[in-house]
């Protein structure tokens, strides 16, 4: 997986394939990303290139940092707040993946009313 300009490259292991793709309606997802994401265990994720190109952004509770390429602006991944042992990756960062091919796996997540906000 990589950002648009290729500065940030990620190695991901999808041991079960893409069995769940999440679309969130929180303020950052609905305004900036507008894509699906999949969440994998931390051990199945590695930044292989471009760590210096990554910028971190946190908001609200500051428990789920979001990471972007500083060059092209693409949101590549973030730490899951709902499942802190996982990293969520922008599915659009995988070359030749079309989210529309996975409509049956899309799960809407109500990030506006996040379960950890209570």
């Amino acid at each position: 997986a990589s950002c648009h300009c290729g500065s940030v490259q990620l190695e991901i292991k999808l041991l079960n394939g893409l069995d769940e793709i999440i679309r969130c309606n929180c303020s950052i997802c609905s305004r900036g990303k507008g894509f699906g994401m999949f969440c994998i265990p931390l051990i199945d994720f590695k930044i292989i290139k471009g760590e210096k190109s990554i910028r971190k952004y946190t908001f609200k509770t500051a428990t789920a940092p979001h990471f972007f390429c500083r060059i092209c602006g693409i949101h590549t991944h973030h730490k899951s707040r709902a499942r802190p042992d996982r990293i969520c990756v922008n599915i659009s960062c995988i070359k030749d993946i079309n989210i529309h091919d996975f409509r049956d796996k899309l799960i809407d997540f109500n990030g506006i009313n996040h379960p950890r906000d209570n």
Side-chain angles (χ1 to χ4, degrees):
S2 67
C3 64
H4 186 260
C5 70
S7 294
V8 177
Q9 293 183 11
L10 312 172
E11 180 178 276
I12 52 174
K13 294 179 186 167
L14 295 172
L15 301 178
N16 298 320
L18 288 171
D19 57 350
E20 179 181 87
I21 300 169
I22 301 164
R23 282 189 307 201
C24 178
N25 66 352
C26 78
S27 61
I28 194 169
C29 289
S30 62
R31 288 187 184 127
K33 297 185 294 187
F35 57 78
M37 62 190 130
F38 57 93
C39 301
I40 57 175
L42 293 169
I43 61 169
D44 293 336
F45 174 86
K46 181 178 177 183
I47 298 167
I48 57 174
K49 180 184 171 195
E51 246 182 276
K52 291 183 179 183
S53 295
I54 296 174
R55 293 296 179 258
K56 178 171 79 169
Y57 174 71
T58 57
F59 65 104
K60 203 168 183 178
T61 64
T63 57
H66 290 254
F67 300 95
F68 299 81
C69 173
R70 70 174 179 84
I71 298 166
C72 66
I74 297 299
H75 176 279
T76 53
H77 63 287
H78 71 275
K79 185 174 182 194
S80 175
R81 185 162 67 123
R83 298 183 277 183
D85 63 328
R86 294 182 174 260
I87 289 284
C88 298
V89 179
N90 175 352
I91 191 169
S92 299
C93 287
I94 299 177
K95 187 176 180 178
D96 299 327
I97 289 279
N98 184 340
I99 192 169
H100 300 293
D101 294 338
F102 297 91
R103 288 182 194 261
D104 60 325
K105 303 204 184 283
L106 287 174
I107 296 170
D108 290 320
F109 180 78
N110 187 0
I112 291 173
N113 301 298
H114 198 286
R116 296 217 172 194
D117 285 345
N118 296 328

